[in-house]
Amino acid sequence: KCRFFPNYMGNLEIYTSQSYLHTSSSVSAKQHYKMLVLGGGSGGIAMSARMKRMMGAENVAVVEPSEMHYYQPIWTLVGAGAKTAASSGRSTASVMPSGVKWVKSKVEEINPDTNTVRTDDGTEISYEYLIVALGLQLHYERIKGLPDGFEHPKIGSNYSIQTVEKTWNALQNFKGGNAVFSFPNTPVKCAGAPQKIMYLSDSYLRKTGKRSKAKIIYNTSLPVLFGVKKYADSLWEIVKQRDLQVNLRQNLIEVRADKQEAVFENLDKPGETTVIEYEMLHVTPPMGPSLAIKGGPLADEVGWLDVDRDTLQHKRYPNVFGIGDCTNLPTVRTAAAVAAQSAILNRTISKTLKKEKPDKKYDGYTSCPLVTSYNTVILAEFDYNLQPLETFPINQAKERRLMYHMKADLMPHLYWHGLLRGLWGGPGPYRKLLHLGMK
């Protein structure tokens, strides 16, 4: 028999005929899980679903502070008025695998030497295995005049839920003048997105009869329009046909929103700046590593999670794994990359639990559906070496209506009901989709 009653501190004391146990509040604040997942974005939710099947829901926890989960690839279309912002989000509770513990906190510190994580409310969580899926950090503040500049009209950004509808407002209210689009001098997620909104804006202005009054300018810090030559060649043709002005090696350093001026630095001639007046400005912010990783023992010299490019296992801590935007994998950061990585990582963890050597390698597969109008997409798929790694037996560098419908209508469905449930993904997720369609 056991007898339960509170002691003078309000803590529970349990008496039995053979033992005496005391559970204090400080001890109860500690938690332990066989698999701890940091981050409830695409990679974190997908892997927590897979880990639930591998080791049981009671052994898995996800640390994620946000109440809402967003399908961010659709924000390109939200910024152009083709989709609603509301359609991009669902509650985190609705996408969290049932039975898996959701820790509604922010990761403050990771200590892989003691196998512990500390959250912003002081809770310490210990683990046997750790998956880091913390995404990356947006740094609007690194552009002088932002983020305060978003309080003014005619400026938006498709990279956050707070600013994506401002892009659509700026586009709708455009009367004439310069429509300016930027690409920062940092790694970014979905490297095609900064120019997708340019093509969509061009289409919208043509449709509404305002194109003749507009000068469309794309200023990118990169030395190329797109990293994969096959697709870049097609994009340059579109740029020429639609009279779009592309300026390479130009980095946005300041926004004077009250004057509607954007200041760009010439990266090939440091200190040389150009001021452009705008009637519409789309800002792609500088981005960087998660602050919970940067400077810690799991980071590389720049601050990204230091994982093996083949297996996604950490280079120094074999019980730590990574997926998605937070890693230093040398590929473009996209949801399609996460889908491909999730199957490889699942295999790596399975082998690690069995004390076996991982036998599947991630080839760097990623995909970027380059939206070029309200009904066309160039489907870019490629690997670590920036070589095309295509799904369909057609020339994917050509604009196609079918690819647009796949991007706009089919992929969101597969995201919510496939990837996040750990049921869809693998090397070349479009290829897997094609095979499923042929069965």
Side-chain angles (χ1 to χ4, degrees):
K1 291 183 178 181
C2 299
R3 298 174 63 194
F4 301 84
F5 52 91
N7 66 9
Y8 69 98
M9 292 292 289
N11 298 317
L12 189 67
E13 294 186 348
I14 308 171
Y15 290 93
T16 71
S17 57
Q18 298 176 328
S19 63
Y20 164 78
L21 301 174
H22 176 212
T23 305
S24 70
S25 58
S26 61
V27 174
S28 63
K30 291 189 176 181
Q31 303 175 40
H32 176 82
Y33 297 92
K34 185 169 184 179
M35 177 61 75
L36 183 62
V37 181
L38 305 184
S42 305
I45 295 297
M47 289 311 302
S48 63
R50 288 177 177 269
M51 293 302 99
K52 173 186 172 179
R53 289 198 296 274
M54 187 181 292
M55 56 186 62
E58 69 280 2
N59 293 310
V60 181
V62 181
V63 183
E64 170 55 52
S66 302
E67 292 282 349
M68 288 294 292
H69 179 105
Y70 291 99
Y71 177 54
Q72 296 181 29
I74 211 70
W75 286 347
T76 285
L77 300 180
V78 173
K83 295 285 184 179
T84 64
S87 72
S88 72
R90 296 188 181 181
S91 68
T92 299
S94 71
V95 299
M96 192 68 62
S98 61
V100 166
K101 173 67 176 180
W102 174 20
V103 181
K104 297 182 191 178
S105 300
K106 184 179 179 182
V107 176
E108 194 74 28
E109 183 182 11
I110 308 169
N111 191 336
D113 293 308
T114 58
N115 293 333
T116 57
V117 169
R118 184 169 54 82
T119 63
D120 58 351
D121 62 2
T123 301
E124 186 176 272
I125 309 171
S126 59
Y127 60 83
E128 284 184 52
Y129 299 93
L130 182 71
I131 295 175
V132 184
L134 287 170
L136 50 64
Q137 203 85 17
L138 303 181
H139 290 291
Y140 288 103
E141 78 284 354
R142 292 184 184 173
I143 299 172
K144 187 177 179 182
L146 296 183
D148 293 346
F150 287 114
E151 295 175 6
H152 293 257
K154 304 186 179 183
I155 173 175
S157 175
N158 290 353
Y159 275 85
S160 81
I161 191 62
Q162 291 80 18
T163 57
V164 64
E165 290 177 302
K166 294 179 184 292
T167 304
W168 175 227
N169 290 337
L171 182 55
Q172 283 179 295
N173 296 325
F174 185 89
K175 300 291 190 295
N178 294 329
V180 183
F181 304 84
S182 72
F183 187 111
N185 190 30
T186 66
V188 302
K189 54 182 171 182
C190 194
Q195 61 183 289
K196 295 177 195 179
I197 187 59
M198 170 182 67
Y199 302 126
L200 285 163
S201 297
D202 170 74
S203 294
Y204 179 80
L205 295 177
R206 290 179 189 278
K207 187 169 61 175
T208 54
K210 301 176 185 177
R211 182 63 181 90
S212 61
K213 301 175 184 177
K215 183 178 182 180
I216 296 180
I217 303 169
Y218 180 61
N219 277 9
T220 172
S221 66
L222 299 176
V224 294
L225 182 57
F226 193 73
V228 183
K229 186 179 184 304
K230 176 177 180 177
Y231 308 117
D233 289 347
S234 295
L235 293 171
W236 277 117
E237 282 299 314
I238 292 171
V239 165
K240 186 190 301 182
Q241 291 165 10
R242 301 184 193 174
D243 191 26
L244 309 174
Q245 181 178 322
V246 175
N247 301 313
L248 305 176
R249 302 293 287 155
Q250 297 293 313
N251 184 42
L252 180 64
I253 58 171
E254 183 180 358
V255 174
R256 301 166 184 165
D258 55 336
K259 300 177 181 178
Q260 293 176 214
E261 294 178 343
V263 183
F264 291 87
E265 181 181 20
N266 185 338
L267 293 176
D268 290 331
K269 297 179 181 178
E272 180 181 294
T273 59
T274 303
V275 179
I276 302 177
E277 292 185 12
Y278 64 83
E279 178 66 16
M280 172 187 177
L281 175 64
H282 177 267
V283 177
T284 302
M287 303 180 201
S290 164
L291 300 181
I293 300 171
K294 188 176 182 179
L298 293 178
D300 65 8
E301 62 279 359
V302 181
W304 303 102
L305 188 74
D306 197 14
V307 297
D308 183 279
R309 59 180 276 166
D310 294 331
T311 66
L312 284 73
Q313 189 170 29
H314 196 272
K315 290 180 180 177
R316 297 182 299 280
Y317 297 92
N319 66 329
V320 177
F321 310 88
I323 188 171
D325 296 348
C326 69
T327 68
N328 62 355
L329 296 170
T331 192
V332 176
R333 296 166 167 86
T334 67
V338 169
Q341 292 164 20
S342 65
I344 299 295
L345 181 52
N346 190 70
R347 179 75 173 183
T348 293
I349 293 172
S350 175
K351 287 289 186 181
T352 301
L353 291 175
K354 297 173 185 174
K355 311 298 182 186
E356 297 175 5
K357 189 175 180 180
D359 59 352
K360 296 289 184 183
K361 291 185 177 182
Y362 175 52
D363 57 9
Y365 173 89
T366 191
S367 173
C368 184
L370 293 154
V371 184
T372 54
S373 75
Y374 284 89
N375 57 17
T376 55
V377 159
I378 289 174
L379 181 59
E381 294 181 283
F382 48 96
D383 61 14
Y384 277 137
N385 300 317
L386 300 181
Q387 294 302 306
L389 196 62
E390 297 181 342
T391 296
F392 301 94
I394 54 176
N395 179 13
Q396 290 185 199
K398 183 179 178 181
E399 294 177 279
R400 296 185 187 274
R401 183 183 295 265
L402 175 63
M403 299 304 180
Y404 178 86
H405 288 299
M406 188 165 72
K407 156 74 177 175
D409 305 316
L410 181 58
M411 297 314 297
H413 179 80
L414 286 170
Y415 179 85
W416 295 114
H417 302 287
L419 178 62
L420 294 188
R421 295 182 181 180
L423 301 174
W424 177 65
Y430 292 106
R431 195 172 305 121
K432 185 170 182 180
L433 172 63
L434 179 64
H435 293 162
L436 288 173
M438 294 170 67
K439 287 183 179 178

